[in-house]
Amino acid sequence: MTAHPLPVSSPAAQGVDARGVQAFLDAIEAAPGVEPHGLMILRHGRVVASGWWAPFTADRPHRLYSISKSFTGSAVGFAIEEGLLDLDARVISYFPEFDADITDPGSRAMKVRHIASMASGHLSETVVQAHAIDAEEPVRGFLLIPPDREPGSVFAYNQPTTYTLGAIIQRATGQTLTEYLRPRLLDPLGIGETLWERDRAGRELGYSGLHAATDAVARLGQLYLDKGVWEGEQLLPASWVAQATRAHVDNSDGSPEARNSDWAQGYGFQFWMSRHGYRGDGAVGQFCVVLPEQDVVIAITANTDLMQSVMDMIWEHLLPAFGPEPVSAAGQDAAESAEDAALRERLSRLVLPTVEGEAAPADTEAWSGVRFAPRDGEAEAQPSLTAVQLTADGDGWILTLDQAKDEDEPPFALRFAGTGWAVAERPAVPVPTAVSAGWTDADTFVAELGFLETPHHLTLTCSLAARDFTASWQGKPLRPTPLSSFGVPR
């Protein structure tokens, strides 16, 4: 289905001060450890600001990590409306084949509403333990871990709860999450291609692994802001939206620090409560912030481990920019129009920083054809990367990344000429990858690699004298995987 563009308006026409958006851009671009990829701000249902930092683009799917949970939660709302799911049913009732194995009273008492609200009774994350118990069926592994407390009484952010929730939906509907959501949510909202990572059993993960464009995040947020209504039609039950976006379990320890944490304001059904409004979010900087009081949705895709810092920037710069009504006072239109135009111009030319260095070394022959090995003691930074080679190629260079042969991983051959971003697409490389590279001195070559369908960014530094390289992540992946997995699942 071809997505219809969201309606667009100037910031001033929707009561948004463009200077606040500019201040947010200043802050997020200047913040160490924050690499923005995409931004969309909707006010009164209209896009008032949007932009993507090259080499990222508007139409490219991006790994959303735990924003996947909010899509899974939406599937729960549809399934309840269709009589396929009951929040008060015991989880074990959907898996009768495990009934004899699950003997702990707490596990047997666990209800669907408990796993939907991260209140299974466990006090900590159980994903590693669940897979260790039963890698083929993580639901069974999870249910074999006795809860520490009575289900419903305590909060713990716990991946197997949402995995189990997604497994129940897939079992109850006989479809994958994508198949179930496509006619009910994705197509009606005009969300184009989405791809969802699956486990070894072929089940879509539910708690993570969804790849979609920033626009999809914005559309989901707008649907929830409008209480499940889209273009005049009640798609998602309003009762589900109300339940999903209020706190069901306290996740604050009552400390002064918790008052200023957007991760200690309560948890709903696959949504976090925030100091203002509520949100879905995903690891390494993915956000779907919904502000009902301001009638605003903010969608951000990024690469950062400093997620509270991003939320702080939103509250400091964007929140005050949402005025109570459009700016229309006499004499203000021209000034506001100029500010809006300046913002649009800036948003149209966003670009991530590139390597500060020379486009070619002083001695091409000394560098061309050299293979660099992992520096001693640092190979674990990227376990599957075994060698790096540079080869002069006409007016440019080819950077080749070799991966572990026992994983049968194909090499990456990335061509660059100059230090600006160069993008390689499939099938030339296993996954879409951008490279900015250059020589920072006679002995040092640096390459910044962006894996464009994920948040992740790898920095390579090669030493000619030592014939070795180091590899360091900005936004470290949640688990070690080959570089060829850093793209949409196909």
Side-chain angles (χ1 to χ4, degrees), residues 355-374:
V355 167
E356 295 184 4
E358 300 298 326
D363 188 347
T364 297
E365 290 186 4
W367 282 87
S368 185
V370 174
R371 286 178 64 82
F372 301 89

Side-chain angles (χ1 to χ4, degrees), residues 1 78 183-185 187-190 222-224 226-238 241:
M1 177 178 178
F78 288 115
R184 293 165 177 81
L185 179 80
D187 281 348
L189 263 58
Q222 189 65 45
L223 177 69
Y224 273 80
D226 289 338
K227 299 179 173 60
V229 174
W230 188 265
E231 296 181 345
E233 180 183 354
Q234 188 76 51
L235 293 183
L236 191 61
V241 173

Side-chain angles (χ1 to χ4, degrees), residues 56 80-81 201 246 416 479 489:
F56 290 88
I80 291 171
E81 180 76 2
R246 67 173 176 84
F416 64 95
R479 63 182 186 275

Side-chain angles (χ1 to χ4, degrees), residues 222-284:
Q222 189 65 45
L223 177 69
Y224 273 80
L225 178 63
D226 289 338
K227 299 179 173 60
V229 174
W230 188 265
E231 296 181 345
E233 180 183 354
Q234 188 76 51
L235 293 183
L236 191 61
S239 58
W240 172 257
V241 173
Q243 290 184 82
T245 60
R246 67 173 176 84
H248 292 272
V249 60
D250 182 19
N251 63 353
S252 171
D253 60 8
S255 68
E257 293 78 16
R259 287 197 295 270
N260 294 320
S261 170
D262 285 291
W263 279 262
Q265 307 301 317
Y267 195 80
F269 287 154
Q270 306 301 296
F271 279 95
W272 293 91
M273 303 304 103
S274 297
R275 286 179 285 170
H276 305 274
Y278 57 89
R279 73 189 190 284
D281 65 37
V284 207

Side-chain angles (χ1 to χ4, degrees), residues 35 37 62-69 157 159 207-210 263 272 279-288 300-308 310 454-456 474-479:
E35 179 185 281
H37 294 167
H62 196 278
R63 185 177 293 170
L64 300 179
Y65 280 115
S66 283
I67 288 181
S68 309
K69 292 180 171 71
Y157 195 67
Q159 310 302 332
Y207 68 89
S208 188
L210 180 63
W263 279 262
W272 293 91
R279 73 189 190 284
D281 65 37
V284 207
Q286 324 318 313
F287 298 89
C288 177
I300 298 173
T301 47
N303 174 356
T304 183
D305 293 322
L306 306 175
M307 294 180 66
Q308 183 61 68
V310 175
T454 79
H456 302 295
Q474 299 179 37
K476 187 176 181 180
L478 302 189
R479 63 182 186 275

